[in-house]
Amino acid sequence: MIYTVTFSPAIDYVVYMDDLIPGKTNRTKGEQYFFGGKGINVSTVLTELGIENTALGFVSGFTGEALERGLKDKGVCTDFVHLGEGITRINVKIKSGRETEINAQGPSISEEKINELLEKLKGLKRGDYLVVSGTVPNTLPDDIYDRILSVLEGKGIEYVVDTTGELLENVLKYRPFFIKPNKAELEELMGLEIKNDEELRCGAKTLQDKGARNVIVSLGGDGAYLLCENGSDYRMKMPPQKAKNTVGAGDSLVAGFLAGYVKSGDMERALKMGVAAGTATAYSDDLAKKEEIEKMYLMIGDR
């Protein structure tokens, strides 16, 4: 079973307008809403690909109820911790001449509720996968990643970590099954600019030496690179099309890779499915559907 954790889910409310004029009443041309959060995105794409999984995290208030109901309507299995105060975030995305975002802070999360999440995680069994991703909101302690992984240490759980900077470096000691920095994040960790595939491999190898078993580096429009724990590596390219939406593309890559690996046990096929899912989302208005991912899979080429 695959489990995902989303610390601070959100409903993304997207409004479209010709222009945003501060200090005036602005009228929209259209609106959309999406259920957001990195772990939730992973769970949604996994479900779309027919992979059983459960989304964990914190929800609160009427917006939390709407998010939970909406995910269940999509077939996503959830087991959230329900907070007694506040509301699940509503993030406002204004698309006009320039895109403007207003991201909410989210509700406070007590130590009692943190422990409730940890108790749920203690129910994971050997061979299960746990996906933890994103930054830590200021409503949670900075060591929440460490607390989660230390609770599960030695139980045979496969960790997937998608975060950045110090948060990522601090969890490498738990030997995650795979991590997924993007190229800019890898450059920040290495303190140097990556100019070619040799330097890309060197950067990924450095993270392996610190504990990561497999390292996927997402490369935006250039696809993704994978360095496996057995020393083999793969590079997959995206088809040359114009991206419409990069939100959730990295999460889709994580979901696609996991789906591909669970189904085949083959790293190269898993990477191909990951790039297909990430690319399909980048070319969609929302997270990609199964048909779009499968179509993209047939178009993906390697190096």
Side-chain angles (χ1 to χ4, degrees):
M1 171 70 86
I2 299 173
Y3 296 85
T4 67
V5 175
T6 305
F7 297 126
S8 189
I11 297 175
D12 289 341
Y13 178 56
V14 184
V15 297
Y16 301 86
M17 57 182 61
D18 291 324
D19 195 15
L20 174 65
I21 306 173
K24 301 289 185 180
T25 299
N26 293 270
R27 304 291 183 186
T28 72
K29 297 192 301 180
E31 304 87 21
Q32 290 180 296
Y33 66 91
F34 305 100
F35 302 119
K38 291 181 70 62
I40 285 173
N41 292 340
V42 173
S43 276
T44 301
V45 175
L46 284 171
T47 301
E48 188 67 30
L49 291 172
I51 302 297
E52 186 178 1
N53 73 95
T54 300
L56 303 170
F58 303 98
V59 294
S60 183
F62 75 99
T63 49
E65 292 175 3
L67 182 143
E68 192 168 17
R69 184 171 58 250
L71 291 176
K72 288 181 178 179
D73 288 344
K74 290 184 173 184
V76 179
C77 179
T78 65
D79 187 17
F80 292 124
V81 174
H82 295 87
L83 306 177
E85 298 180 356
I87 64 170
T88 291
R89 298 183 301 153
I90 301 175
N91 295 332
V92 181
K93 316 288 185 179
I94 304 170
K95 294 183 181 289
S96 56
R98 293 184 300 174
E99 184 168 331
T100 301
E101 297 189 6
I102 304 172
N103 289 340
Q105 174 178 279
S108 297
I109 302 170
S110 67
E111 187 67 21
E112 177 186 3
K113 294 299 182 180
I114 293 172
N115 288 331
E116 191 175 330
L117 174 63
L118 294 178
E119 285 300 315
K120 289 180 183 291
L121 291 170
K122 288 178 182 178
L124 272 63
K125 299 178 176 61
R126 179 173 294 275
D128 286 342
Y129 293 83
L130 176 65
V131 181
V132 286
S133 53
T135 58
V136 177
N138 59 14
T139 55
L140 282 172
D142 292 339
D143 65 349
I144 187 64
Y145 269 69
D146 272 306
R147 291 177 65 176
I148 287 174
L149 299 189
S150 64
V151 160
L152 298 176
E153 192 172 15
K155 293 187 65 174
I157 310 301
E158 301 283 12
Y159 310 122
V160 175
V161 180
D162 182 11
T163 189
T164 62
E166 188 176 345
L167 276 175
L168 177 59
E169 290 193 285
N170 287 344
V171 300
L172 294 179
K173 60 189 176 188
Y174 296 104
R175 294 192 52 77
F177 173 58
F178 79 85
I179 60 175
K180 191 209 67 63
N182 61 33
K183 181 171 177 281
E185 291 162 352
L186 182 59
E187 288 175 332
E188 181 181 351
L189 286 167
M190 300 301 297
L192 52 84
E193 183 181 357
I194 294 173
K195 305 186 187 71
N196 53 51
D197 279 4
E198 183 178 348
E199 292 176 350
L200 184 60
R201 180 185 173 89
C202 182
K205 183 64 168 62
T206 299
L207 296 182
Q208 270 191 341
D209 291 341
K210 292 182 178 181
R213 290 163 52 199
N214 302 284
V215 180
I216 300 173
V217 184
S218 55
L219 303 170
D222 292 325
Y225 170 82
L226 166 65
L227 178 61
C228 303
E229 58 184 322
N230 66 3
S232 60
D233 65 345
Y234 305 98
R235 174 82 177 265
M236 295 287 174
K237 300 176 182 178
M238 292 173 58
Q241 299 183 40
K242 184 177 180 180
K244 296 171 62 178
N245 165 47
T246 58
V247 176
D251 306 322
S252 298
L253 192 160
V254 170
F257 182 90
L258 265 177
Y261 186 76
V262 167
K263 288 180 177 179
S264 71
D266 182 275
M267 285 289 188
E268 186 174 13
R269 290 184 184 179
L271 182 63
K272 187 173 181 179
M273 181 60 74
V275 173
T279 304
T281 287
Y283 296 162
S284 305
D285 291 322
D286 192 8
L287 298 173
K289 300 298 183 184
K290 180 180 179 180
E291 296 75 15
E292 297 164 340
I293 295 171
E294 291 177 340
K295 179 180 177 180
M296 198 61 62
Y297 183 88
L298 298 175
M299 299 171 63
I300 296 292
D302 59 24
R303 64 182 176 190

